[in-house]
Each structure stands twice: as structure tokens, then as C-alpha cells.
Amino acid sequence: ASESPAPGGGSISAYVGALGVSLGTMVANLSAHKPGWDSRWQEFSAWAEKGQLYKNQLLQMVDEDTNAFNKIMSAFGLPKSTEEEKKERTQKIQDATKYATQIPFEVMQICYRSMEIIKAMAESGNPNSITDAGVGALCSMAAIQGAFLNVKINAAGLTDNAFARKLITEGNVI
């Protein structure tokens, strides 16, 4: 809520994705310890471990999205007095923008993969926690959509049109 532009929507998308998979992981843990479900302990524990990995990846992406934004801002601050400086500055801006496009795209991919856990928990987890899985799915979907907004806005600033089109096309599939 500050005047700082970072962390912004990309970081928040990663964080919301972490919350989503955390809810799916919670359902897996609750299911692993549900009385009468002792024979399914390993199944649910495996889901929970996988969920923890996704959550940790997404939490790292929270900071990485901010770092990517800061790289763009640093590149814009480079000197531009000579033609050589201008050329180097332009290249650094493009490199930073490309990276800042890749990070939210990766968030989209991680969130999409994490939906496997949430779906499994909604279908076969503790029925008393089905709404938690549902909220987790909503969080993950919001994270994917939010990250895609950042992919699109950053891709618009790229001169590598083939790369930008590739990410947008693949993002539309997710």
C-alpha cells in the first residue's frame, strides 16, 4: 500500500499462488491424519510433500518478481549520453524486460502444475475440507491470471517479437 511500485502485481500473484497450493497441502495433511484413513497416509503425505515444494518455489518467485522489476528500473537509469551508452542501455532494458516477462510466466506454470494437488484433494481428500481445496483452486486461478497480465504488459515492451508471441501463445493455453 506504499508509493513503491514493487512488490507489485507479479509478486502478489506468486504469493496468492503460494496460498492456493498451501490450502491444497493443508487438505492433504488433514486427510493423511483423518481417523479411519490410515491406509491412505502415504498417498496424502506424498501430495503434501509435493505441495510444499510448489509453495516454496512460489515464495521464491515473490522476491524474484521484485528483483526482475528492479533490474528494469536499473537499466532505465543507465547513462545515455553517447551512442554506445544508448545502445548498451537499450540492450540492458531489453534483457531485463525479457527476464521480467519470464518470471511471471514461470509463476503461471508453477501454479498450473500445483492445481494437480488441489484437484486431487477436492476429489479424494477429507470431505470436511473440500471448501479449503476450492478456495485454493480460486487462489491458484487468480495467480495464473494475475501473472499473465504481467507477462502481457512486459512482453509488449520487447523487441524480440517471436519470444513475446511464444510466451503469450503458451500463456493462453495455461
Side-chain angles (χ1 to χ4, degrees), residues 5-166:
S11 293
I12 299 305
S13 294
Y15 193 73
V16 169
L19 292 173
V21 74
S22 292
L23 282 168
T25 302
M26 178 189 81
V27 175
N29 283 317
L30 291 170
S31 300
H33 300 290
K34 182 174 171 46
W37 286 23
D38 296 337
S39 64
R40 299 182 72 193
W41 178 84
Q42 287 182 324
E43 169 194 353
F44 290 116
S45 293
W47 284 118
E49 286 178 26
K50 196 172 187 179
Q52 287 290 353
L53 292 174
Y54 288 134
K55 179 202 66 158
N56 291 340
Q57 289 174 346
L58 287 165
L59 288 176
Q60 289 176 343
M61 299 306 278
V62 170
D63 291 332
E64 200 51 42
D65 188 81
T66 298
N67 291 337
F69 176 79
N70 289 338
K71 285 181 184 190
I72 292 173
M73 297 312 293
S74 292
F76 272 108
L78 290 172
K80 53 184 177 178
S81 300
T82 67
E83 286 304 313
E84 186 175 314
E85 286 177 344
K86 288 177 188 177
K87 186 176 178 181
E88 181 179 345
R89 179 179 178 268
T90 298
Q91 185 59 53
K92 297 270 187 189
I93 290 169
Q94 284 298 302
D95 291 345
T97 303
K98 193 173 204 178
Y99 185 68
T101 306
Q102 291 170 310
I103 294 301
F105 186 77
E106 190 173 341
V107 168
M108 291 176 68
Q109 292 175 312
I110 296 167
C111 289
Y112 181 76
R113 290 191 304 269
S114 79
M115 296 278 286
E116 175 190 25
I117 296 163
I118 298 165
K119 181 178 188 270
M121 292 307 98
E123 292 175 347
S124 66
N126 186 333
N128 295 326
S129 300
I130 194 165
T131 56
D132 296 308
V135 172
L138 292 170
C139 287
S140 292
M141 291 183 333
I144 290 168
Q145 291 173 351
F148 196 33
L149 291 174
N150 284 294
V151 169
K152 289 191 253 187
I153 193 71
N154 291 331
L158 291 172
T159 56
D160 185 346
N161 293 325
F163 177 81
R165 275 193 307 275
K166 179 181 182 292

